[in-house]
Amino acid sequence: MNDNNLVNDMNETEMIERYIYEVIKRVPQKQRKEIKLELAELIEDMKEEGTTEEILMKLGNPAEFAKRYRDENNYVIGPDYYDDYVWIAKIGALAVAISAIVSAVVRGLTEAEGLKDFIKVFIGEGIGVSVSGAVGFLGMLTIIFVLMERLKIKVDIKPDKEWTPSQLPAVPEKKAMLSRGESIVAIIFYMVLMGMFLFVPEIFGAFETTDTGIKSISCVFNLEQWSSIVPFFVLILVIGMFDEIVKIIYGQYCKAVMYSSIVCNAISVVLFFILFKCMDIWNSSFADELLIQAGKKEYSKGDMLRYWNTDRFDEFLLGFIVLASCLEVASYVYHTYKYGRKDK
Amino acid sequence: MEKDLVESLLSELRRGTLILCVLSQLGEAKYGYALIQNLEDKGIDIDANTLYPLLRRLEKQELLCSEWNTQEAKPRKYYKRTVYGDSVYQILTEQWSKLSEGMNSLIGGNSGER
């Protein structure tokens, strides 16, 4: 009898401990200690109402209990962005699919020997790229939206300014709208490009046709150090996608889009500078390999290949990138002040 | 009638009034379970898993303050209205009178639609 009681007591204490643990593991760290004490007090006080089991039944599912302790808006992506998020995720699926097919075709053509092998390589590469592409894109998209969610809270909520109808932005005229289609095409293009950089970098190079298919002769990039180069390209493309997603969300010229364009272009230019100036991104023997392939010994006079991998070549490309970025930013600044919402 | 729907409508209706219920009883310090019983005696049912988080929230909003009393056998957390809580409670009760008057004229007596 005594033993039995003891066992029951142990069980009840343990049951309470377990219950409290199930609640506090779901609330923020710094509140745990206090809530633990509170719950212990509550359950102790309720003892006259019935057995421990009955009390815990009355308190209900600990997960539900914990949810009430947390602040209400603890979501990653809020209702404001949810539709855009789902929508862009669908575009992402399309982009990943295209990217996977392109990589699979390239792999299949360059590596496979014979039709059977081609199918094998094609399917293997296709599945591989689809899975890692889907996971990568979704992860990236989520990070971008979480950033947006946090930034939006900072940008949009200005409690010191009282809302009046005069703040209502004009319904955008057609010229002020940003084309969703262009952004979608851009995102898909970036994704496909990213797939190539990550999975089939040899596509950026020269090929020759052989009896068994197509063979890669030489890649323009320095594939030996590719693992330290490719993150820069990926980052540049992610930033580009971020910019496009901002455009889709706002849908028209406004300061948010303009700032996003300025910041994204600035970061990209810096990354390109690092790539060109601090890293050996080019395959230094690319031009020579082409020359050999062509059966020549020297470059002819006007041959552009003479400039391969020289500082001048890098500077020309960088200049082009800087110019293009400046033009893009200038265009956004101009359009924002001409047509953009002036409410922010 | 959908039972779940009625349940959720009822809990929505109750939710707004709970803050007033709790504030009304905390002119002097009480611990959580005493407050539950106190409300129950007056015909207001509130679940512990609603009340405890609510008390914390009201404390965070500085309407209540709390203190652990460790002098008794069981340590208990006592909640009490702050001065700010007093003034908010005052405003809420005034609004409640107006609201219940209005509600009565809408649905009480003979004028309500049946």
Side-chain angles (χ1 to χ4, degrees):
Chain A
M1 181 75 188
N2 265 343
D3 276 2
N4 209 0
N5 259 343
L6 194 67
V7 171
N8 270 341
D9 271 358
M10 288 271 286
N11 275 341
E12 292 198 346
T13 319
E14 202 189 328
M15 211 193 286
I16 292 169
E17 261 173 28
R18 286 184 187 187
Y19 186 89
I20 292 176
Y21 178 73
E22 283 299 305
V23 175
I24 61 167
K25 77 174 191 190
R26 294 180 168 90
V27 298
Q29 190 84 40
K30 56 183 176 190
Q31 295 178 22
R32 284 183 191 169
K33 216 173 131 191
E34 183 96 6
I35 290 176
K36 187 177 174 181
L37 288 169
E38 271 178 32
L39 291 181
E41 172 206 319
L42 169 68
I43 293 169
E44 185 68 29
D45 281 338
M46 286 175 83
K47 277 219 162 137
E48 57 200 67
E49 289 187 20
T51 64
T52 303
E53 208 175 332
E54 282 165 353
I55 292 168
L56 296 185
M57 284 294 288
K58 203 170 169 190
L59 289 179
N61 188 337
E64 189 62 32
F65 203 155
K67 209 164 108 191
R68 296 183 187 194
Y69 265 119
R70 290 194 305 256
D71 286 336
E72 266 144 51
N73 51 353
N74 54 350
Y75 42 71
V76 177
I77 291 156
D80 285 355
Y81 286 127
Y82 182 75
D83 287 342
D84 285 327
Y85 177 78
V86 172
W87 192 72
I88 295 174
K90 283 178 190 161
I91 300 169
L94 180 67
V96 168
I98 295 174
S99 189
I101 291 170
V102 171
S103 303
V105 167
V106 173
R107 267 282 138 83
L109 285 178
T110 53
E111 281 181 5
E113 284 166 15
L115 184 66
K116 219 173 155 187
D117 198 32
F118 176 83
I119 293 170
K120 217 170 85 188
V121 174
F122 183 85
I123 291 174
E125 181 75 9
I127 291 173
V129 174
S130 301
V131 170
S132 41
V135 171
F137 184 82
L138 228 77
M140 190 198 66
L141 188 67
T142 307
I143 291 170
I144 290 175
F145 269 81
V146 169
L147 271 177
M148 298 281 306
E149 186 74 52
R150 303 288 172 261
L151 289 178
K152 172 115 175 170
I153 287 166
K154 278 189 193 146
V155 172
D156 275 9
I157 298 175
K158 288 183 182 165
D160 48 320
K161 245 194 200 170
E162 210 168 320
W163 186 87
T164 58
S166 62
Q167 291 171 10
L168 284 171
V171 175
E173 47 180 315
K174 212 162 180 212
K175 280 180 183 165
M177 304 284 274
L178 287 161
S179 152
R180 274 195 150 192
E182 271 173 36
S183 292
I184 294 169
V185 171
I187 289 175
I188 293 176
F189 176 71
Y190 289 153
M191 275 300 286
V192 172
L193 213 53
M194 197 189 291
M196 291 175 182
F197 278 122
L198 283 171
F199 302 111
V200 281
E202 61 270 22
I203 200 173
F204 304 98
F207 293 88
E208 64 171 345
T209 44
T210 61
D211 310 333
T212 49
I214 298 169
K215 207 178 120 225
S216 169
I217 304 168
S218 182
C219 178
V220 298
F221 295 116
N222 181 357
L223 291 184
E224 278 161 30
Q225 290 184 30
W226 193 236
S227 59
S228 54
I229 296 169
V230 77
F232 283 89
F233 280 115
V234 170
L235 204 56
I236 288 166
L237 291 170
V238 168
I239 290 165
M241 273 192 255
F242 175 84
D243 196 23
E244 296 302 330
I245 290 172
V246 170
K247 283 185 214 164
I248 289 177
I249 290 172
Y250 283 90
Q252 66 176 101
Y253 288 106
C254 64
K255 288 211 170 142
V257 170
M258 185 179 84
Y259 291 142
S260 158
S261 159
I262 293 171
V263 171
C264 291
N265 273 294
I267 299 175
S268 296
V269 165
V270 170
L271 290 173
F272 272 119
F273 256 98
I274 298 172
L275 264 180
F276 285 127
K277 290 289 177 193
C278 311
M279 306 192 80
D280 287 330
I281 69 162
W282 305 113
N283 173 7
S284 53
S285 56
F286 175 71
D288 293 336
E289 282 165 14
L290 281 198
L291 208 63
I292 293 163
Q293 191 64 32
K296 289 189 211 160
K297 283 208 172 112
E298 272 176 37
Y299 301 113
S300 53
K301 220 180 176 185
D303 202 330
M304 294 296 278
L305 279 174
R306 283 207 299 182
Y307 296 106
W308 181 253
N309 203 31
T310 57
D311 281 349
R312 248 171 117 183
F313 175 71
D314 284 350
E315 273 153 23
F316 173 77
L317 274 181
L318 261 182
F320 181 76
I321 289 164
V322 171
L323 186 70
S325 295
C326 287
L327 283 178
E328 193 186 317
V329 168
S331 149
Y332 277 101
V333 172
Y334 171 76
H335 284 99
T336 301
Y337 284 102
K338 188 155 187 209
Y339 308 112
R341 290 205 321 229
K342 293 178 181 75
D343 55 328
K344 283 187 188 160
Chain B
M1 239 188 306
E2 191 91 40
K3 201 181 158 220
D4 283 354
L5 178 65
V6 175
E7 276 299 311
S8 86
L9 289 175
L10 276 178
S11 84
E12 215 168 301
L13 191 59
R14 226 179 281 138
R15 195 178 305 150
T17 66
L18 282 181
I19 293 171
L20 192 51
C21 293
V22 168
L23 286 180
S24 75
Q25 299 303 302
L26 291 176
E28 47 193 68
K30 286 192 183 73
Y31 59 92
Y33 191 64
L35 182 57
I36 292 180
Q37 287 181 318
N38 201 291
L39 289 169
E40 248 170 35
D41 288 345
K42 304 203 159 97
I44 308 282
D45 281 337
I46 182 167
D47 289 332
N49 65 8
T50 306
L51 179 70
Y52 276 65
L54 178 63
L55 286 172
R56 282 188 78 86
R57 195 151 58 238
L58 293 176
E59 188 184 6
K60 203 174 157 197
Q61 293 166 338
E62 291 172 4
L63 297 171
L64 299 177
C65 54
S66 72
E67 208 179 349
W68 280 94
N69 184 337
T70 48
Q71 279 158 15
E72 291 166 52
K74 287 185 246 169
R76 281 189 174 124
K77 195 180 185 186
Y78 279 76
Y79 284 95
K80 187 177 182 292
R81 277 204 310 260
T82 58
V83 176
Y84 176 54
D86 286 341
S87 63
V88 170
Y89 172 60
Q90 198 61 42
I91 296 166
L92 287 180
T93 44
E94 278 161 28
Q95 284 300 314
W96 175 257
S97 310
K98 270 194 207 167
L99 184 65
S100 56
E101 240 172 74
M103 288 305 292
N104 279 334
S105 74
L106 284 177
I107 56 176
N110 300 325
S111 56
E113 289 175 24
R114 295 278 161 134

